[in-house]
Amino acid sequence: MTEIPDETDSDPANSVPAAPLARREPLPCRQPKPSEEDPEAPERVGRIIASPSYRVASEDPDFLQSDDTRGLRLLLDYLKPELALQRHGVERTIVVFGGTRICEPAEARRRVDEAGARLAAAGGPQAAPDLAARLDVAERILAGSRYYEVARELGRLIGEANDGDGRPTTLVMTGGGPGIMEAANRGAFDAGAETIGLNIALPHEQYPNPYVTPELCFQFHYFALRKLHFMQRARALVAFPGGYGTLDELFEVLNLVQTRVMKPIPIVLVGVDFWRRAVDFDFLVAEGVIDVEDRGLFWFAETAQEIYESMIAWERNAQAS
């Protein structure tokens, strides 16, 4: 009878540790049941392996996209950027919102010239009223393109303020897209500072602007989780002229501060002429649907220096009170 060595009695000092993956003798499960034992076994095993139920849960896209796992997706949508922001030591942000259509002045001028040429070729406003309307919008965008430069300058001021001032690092955070968001990220990029972009997955393809720090550019599935991250570290909100997205984010923050679900922060609306026409806050007060003190939750500004200095003054007053 062959004697089987008892490896459990070997001296640990002289034993060779087991290999991490390889075995001297393969386990029985390493091979499927052979056809010699059951001719139909290989085909049955193939069907089992191909079944969605056999997929590892974390590698099963159908399972992960099901209604039943929405809670897990919400958690992951929050957790991935949260851990990255923690690793980078991000504690404070200044959030900048604004229209995606407000481009830099040179591009805005090019679009006006192009729209004007098309209108002229079509025979003028009476012959092509739709092209005349496009030219009018292009001229308005050109006039508003000054805000691109204001946002870029603001981003630069915030980025430069992080250099040796002894205060916690404060990073520019935007939605990561074009227009005003691009300008604010670009200004921080110009200053050599890190800058954050919270992009959102949409039915149509979109791209982040090129000035966001790659390790701090995130793409969300859920708007709600994106909003949470906008506000979680926010020390101020700056809202430039914009459309539905800008209005959505602005009123979200105003409501959170009004109800004190969120502690008050500086809220600056850039461009008094735009905002007084876009939203009649005084009318809301007169109608009694908001209070006078709610009208005082924000103020207007025009220049980057004015925006920046007013935020610093607000924070200084808050610390003193």
Side-chain angles (χ1 to χ4, degrees), residues 165-185:
D165 64 355
R167 293 179 299 173
T169 299
T170 303
L171 302 188
V172 171
M173 175 182 279
T174 77
I180 292 298
M181 296 177 286
E182 173 187 295
N185 289 133

Side-chain angles (χ1 to χ4, degrees), residues 2-9:
T2 303
E3 183 178 348
I4 301 175
D6 186 356
E7 296 186 0
T8 61
D9 294 334

Side-chain angles (χ1 to χ4, degrees), residues 224-247:
L225 273 300
R226 182 176 181 244
K227 288 171 179 285
L228 190 157
H229 272 293
F230 271 133
M231 292 298 100
Q232 187 165 319
R233 293 170 172 83
R235 294 298 181 269
L237 166 68
V238 183
F240 284 79
Y244 287 158
T246 301
L247 293 169

Side-chain angles (χ1 to χ4, degrees), residues 13 17 21 34 44 46 53 61 77 101 117 121 131 152 160-161 171 180 201 217 314:
L21 296 177
R44 289 174 179 167
S53 66
D77 219 31
R101 293 172 172 83
L131 293 180
R152 184 174 179 179
E160 290 179 345
L171 302 188
I180 292 298
C217 191
W314 189 99

Side-chain angles (χ1 to χ4, degrees), residues 90-164:
V90 179
E91 298 179 1
R92 296 163 52 94
T93 61
I94 293 178
V95 178
V96 180
F97 295 134
T100 59
R101 293 172 172 83
I102 300 178
C103 54
E104 51 188 308
E107 174 61 17
R109 168 53 64 186
R110 186 194 67 78
R111 294 178 185 180
V112 167
D113 293 342
E114 183 180 272
R118 287 181 177 178
L119 179 61
Q126 291 185 342
D130 56 329
L131 293 180
R134 286 179 177 271
L135 176 59
D136 183 61
V137 170
E139 289 174 340
R140 287 178 178 272
I141 293 294
L142 175 60
S145 66
R146 68 184 184 276
Y147 293 120
Y148 185 100
E149 295 300 332
V150 174
R152 184 174 179 179
E153 175 66 9
L154 176 63
R156 184 187 65 80
L157 289 173
I158 296 169
E160 290 179 345
N162 289 315
D163 187 15

